[in-house]
């Protein structure tokens, strides 16, 4: 226990990032209990654009809604986008990477060709093109971000498969007569989860940032959904007169992404002994 | 080297071909009535006018015919015609590409000029105050939403201090460039700083550095001739790959600062459902990204002769 604690102390990234992420998860799960108002219904034009005060800690927006409440509810949108889209990417990436590395031959060529093409399309542009076709909305965001960012996971999975395939325990499993699918999922996959987890954590951060950007452009979630990017989009015009409407949602995006990035960095330090050795 | 260069350039074309195929498919096959918005809002359009419009725009033809004619034009360097404006996509893009290149180059210069030296210094002074501070700055720079950063910068430097204009291209005047270029460059700068630091830390543990040091070479010489050259390949690779995120972000920064570049043209065309323009902008942006990476790949051989170019 003591040693574990010591290890954590040596890895402030993981601790700080984990704490920030945990706070956002709590916010998302218990949003109704934590929020003083309702994010959409409690609009009152009589109290619009009020600066931060005791009754409205983050002030109110142009429709008189409490910004703190909307920021808290916004964590639900952002975290679900990060989680769902990254889960999709990870599953696609793992399946393609595992099969490509394991079966090789023409399938490997196809998967790698596709991966390289995906990598040569900037993800923002890809997501924009998908949103352009499917139109705005949360479901479409899930798809746009969940189908376009699997290339890194795929590449890493494949290269890990190639390097573990010839290891003794895999050979042993082969000799025992395990089926290929069984070897892939019970022998190889558990041993390469570390790097995949790192990519997934950093990918979640990227997805949250991307959703905010798309919503800011008006191509993501639509009002009155309390999404951080969407809040910034409607506040943009009033930046000079009522800056608090923009400042708090932006800070929420920043800290949520920062938390995940730090957490991912920390995970990498733990899971990649190669790097840790170097740093010493 | 010549053979490598030739082959690498040859590879460029199939990639562009497949990307154009994917983008054409994406924008034309998926549901979503792309066709009819050209006549204004589709609710106001009666069936007959709609059919006429479709015919006029060539959208009544089967998909493969459209793709064939699209490809044929693309090979001639013709990106098609805008649905809405009586202009070719080529001329629309040509008007907008200058500002985009201007902005992204400026952002690159800021990012490379600050990010690489910062990462380098951080690695040489590991654990120092400077190191902690700049790595904290770097992880923040990677995490900050650029449109928000842009808003804050506008508020500070345009409204409060009044140093720079907050909007517009201003005929390319330098004062107009600074805020958007910095906003765009921050994330990239942070990435470069992190990559550079990691690369330098790695190289510093190599035997040849110890050898060079024990030969009695001065720290400065070792740092600049040995460390720097050996990290360049890694830094350059990241710089090339991550250039994609920079060019992607121009869309948002241009929109935020009302910069008349390809990014804002792209967003406008998406809202207007002007598919040929959307398609053209997407292809051009990806093309720029691919070209940058082609150049990076070709530079490898120049920087590090050890690399086996096969």
């Amino acid at each position: 226990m003591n040693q574990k604690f010591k290890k954590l102390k040596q890895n402030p990234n993981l601790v700080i990032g984990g704490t920030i992420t945990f706070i956002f998860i709590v916010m998302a799960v218990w949003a109704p209990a934590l929020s003083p108002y309702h994010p959409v219904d409690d609009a009152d034009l009589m109290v619009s654009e009020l600066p931060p005060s005791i009754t409205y800690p983050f002030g109110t927006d142009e429709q008189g809604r409490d910004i703190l409440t909307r920021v808290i509810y916004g964590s639900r949108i952002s975290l679900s986008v990060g989680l769902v889209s990254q889960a999709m990417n990870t599953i696609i990436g793992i399946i393609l990477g595992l099969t490509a590395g394991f079966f090789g031959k023409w399938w490997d060529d196809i998967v790698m060709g596709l991966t390289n093409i995906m990598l040569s399309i900037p993800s923002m542009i890809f997501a924009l093109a998908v949103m352009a076709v499917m139109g705005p909305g949360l479901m479409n965001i899930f798809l746009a971000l969940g189908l376009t960012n699997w290339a890194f996971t795929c590449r890493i999975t494949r290269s890990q498969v190639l390097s573990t395939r010839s290891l003794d325990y895999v050979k042993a499993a082969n000799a025992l007569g395990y089926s290929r699918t069984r070897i892939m999922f019970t022998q190889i996959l558990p041993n390469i989860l570390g790097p995949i987890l790192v990519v997934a954590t950093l990918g979640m951060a990227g997805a949250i940032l991307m959703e905010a950007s798309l919503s800011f452009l008006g191509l993501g979630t639509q009002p009155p959904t309390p999404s951080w990017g969407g809040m910034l989009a409607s506040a943009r015009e009033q930046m000079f007169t009522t800056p608090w409407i923009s400042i708090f949602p932006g800070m929420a995006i920043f800290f949520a992404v920062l938390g995940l990035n730090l957490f991912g960095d920390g995970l990498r330090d733990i899971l990649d002994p190669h790097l840790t050795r170097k740093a010493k | 080297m010549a053979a490598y260069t030739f082959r690498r350039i040859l590879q460029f074309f199939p990639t562009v071909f497949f990307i154009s195929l994917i983008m054409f498919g994406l924008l034309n096959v998926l549901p979503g009535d792309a066709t009819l918005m050209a006549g204004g809002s589709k609710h106001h359009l009666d069936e007959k006018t709609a059919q006429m419009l479709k015919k006029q725009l060539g959208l009544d033809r089967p998909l493969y015919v459209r793709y064939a004619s699209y490809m044929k034009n693309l090979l001639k360097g013709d990106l098609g015609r805008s649905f809405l404006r009586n202009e070719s996509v080529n001329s629309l893009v040509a008007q907008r590409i200058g500002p985009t290149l201007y902005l992204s180059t400026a952002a690159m210069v800021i990012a490379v000029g600050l990010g690489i030296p910062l990462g380098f210094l951080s690695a040489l002074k590991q654990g120092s105050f400077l190191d902690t501070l700049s790595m904290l700055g770097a992880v923040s720079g990677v995490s900050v939403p650029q449109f928000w950063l842009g808003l804050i910068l506008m508020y500070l430097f345009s409204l409060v201090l009044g140093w720079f204009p907050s909007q517009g291209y201003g005929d390319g005047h330098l004062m107009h460039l600074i805020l958007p270029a910095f906003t765009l460059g921050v994330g990239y700068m942070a990435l470069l700083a992190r990559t550079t630091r990691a690369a330098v830390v790695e190289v510093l543990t190599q035997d040849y550095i110890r050898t060079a040091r024990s030969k009695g070479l001065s720290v400065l010489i070792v740092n600049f001739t040995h460390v720097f050259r050996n990290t360049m390949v890694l830094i350059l690779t990241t710089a090339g790959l991550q250039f994609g995120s920079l060019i992607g972000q121009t869309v948002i920064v241009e929109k935020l600062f009302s910069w008349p570049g390809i990014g804002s043209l792209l967003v406008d065309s998406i809202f207007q459902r002007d598919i040929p323009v959307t398609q053209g902008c997407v292809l051009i942006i990806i093309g720029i990204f691919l070209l940058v990476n082609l150049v990076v790949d070709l530079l490898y051989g120049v920087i590090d002769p050890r690399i086996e170019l096969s």
Side-chain angles (χ1 to χ4, degrees), chain B:
Chain B
M1 184 68 204
Y4 170 75
T5 309
F6 184 67
R7 230 187 21 248
R8 185 63 187 76
I9 290 171
L10 268 190
Q11 270 174 10
F12 180 78
F13 294 102
T15 315
V16 173
F17 170 77
F18 277 113
I19 287 173
S20 73
L21 181 64
I22 290 175
M23 284 301 156
F24 182 88
L26 186 64
L27 293 170
N28 290 277
V29 179
L30 278 177
D33 201 347
T35 59
L36 299 176
M37 295 307 280
S41 170
K42 76 175 159 194
H43 305 292
H44 299 307
L45 225 57
D46 62 80
E47 196 57 31
K48 222 167 124 195
T49 334
Q51 287 306 326
M52 211 181 71
L53 249 171
K54 265 192 166 181
K55 200 162 184 154
Q56 196 187 338
L57 297 169
L59 292 167
D60 55 336
R61 299 170 299 167
L63 199 67
Y64 65 90
V65 178
R66 271 154 64 194
Y67 180 68
S69 84
Y70 171 71
M71 258 343 263
K72 213 172 86 191
N73 288 331
L74 197 63
L75 284 176
K76 286 187 284 186
D78 177 5
L79 292 167
R81 285 192 80 76
S82 160
F83 280 172
L84 287 182
R85 284 174 263 200
N86 191 21
E87 241 179 307
S88 71
V89 178
N90 284 36
S91 85
L92 281 170
V93 166
Q95 292 159 24
R96 303 293 195 101
I97 193 148
T100 294
L101 291 178
Y102 183 49
L103 176 63
S104 48
T105 311
M108 271 277 258
V109 170
I110 294 176
V112 171
L114 290 173
I116 293 182
L118 260 182
F120 206 76
L121 282 176
S122 295
L124 293 178
K125 307 240 178 278
Q126 273 174 71
S128 69
F129 179 67
L130 174 87
D131 181 25
T132 316
L133 197 71
S134 61
M135 283 308 112
L136 209 64
V139 75
S140 308
V142 179
S143 310
V144 72
Q146 293 189 332
F147 50 96
W148 181 64
L149 180 73
L151 278 173
I152 304 274
L153 291 178
M154 266 185 207
Y155 185 77
L156 281 179
F157 291 101
S158 302
L159 184 75
V160 179
L161 295 168
W163 290 355
F164 306 111
S166 68
Q167 294 283 311
Y169 182 54
D171 290 324
H173 196 282
L174 194 65
M175 295 307 265
H176 281 263
L177 178 67
I178 290 173
L179 281 188
F182 188 77
T183 307
L184 182 61
V186 161
Y188 196 59
M189 181 197 327
L191 265 168
L192 284 181
R194 276 156 68 104
T195 316
T196 308
R197 183 181 181 277
V200 173
V201 166
E202 169 131 16
V203 167
L204 282 177
T205 60
Q206 302 289 320
D207 288 338
Y208 55 81
I209 299 294
R210 208 174 317 144
T211 312
R213 289 230 171 107
S214 57
K215 273 199 305 192
L217 290 179
S218 81
V219 177
L220 213 68
I221 291 183
V222 174
N223 284 348
F224 281 92
T225 59
H226 293 74
V227 180
F228 193 64
R229 277 198 69 171
N230 281 295
T231 48
M232 264 329 274
V233 173
L234 194 79
I235 296 170
L236 207 67
T237 311
T238 313
L241 280 175
Q242 294 297 338
F243 183 76
S245 69
L246 183 123
I247 197 94
Q249 290 292 335
T250 53
V251 175
I252 288 153
V253 175
E254 283 179 8
K255 208 61 202 152
L256 181 64
F257 287 94
S258 310
W259 193 263
I262 291 195
S264 46
L265 180 66
L266 172 60
V267 176
D268 293 343
S269 77
I270 289 174
F271 279 112
Q272 296 159 345
R273 312 232 77 187
D274 196 345
I275 299 291
V277 179
T278 306
Q279 200 161 264
C281 290
V282 165
L283 275 187
I284 292 291
I285 294 175
I286 297 173
I288 295 174
F289 176 50
L290 288 175
L291 272 177
V292 167
N293 275 292
L294 179 69
V295 172
V296 166
D297 276 7
L298 294 180
L299 277 177
Y300 284 160
V302 180
I303 294 174
D304 195 341
R306 283 176 316 189
I307 286 185
E308 193 95 6
L309 299 174
S310 56

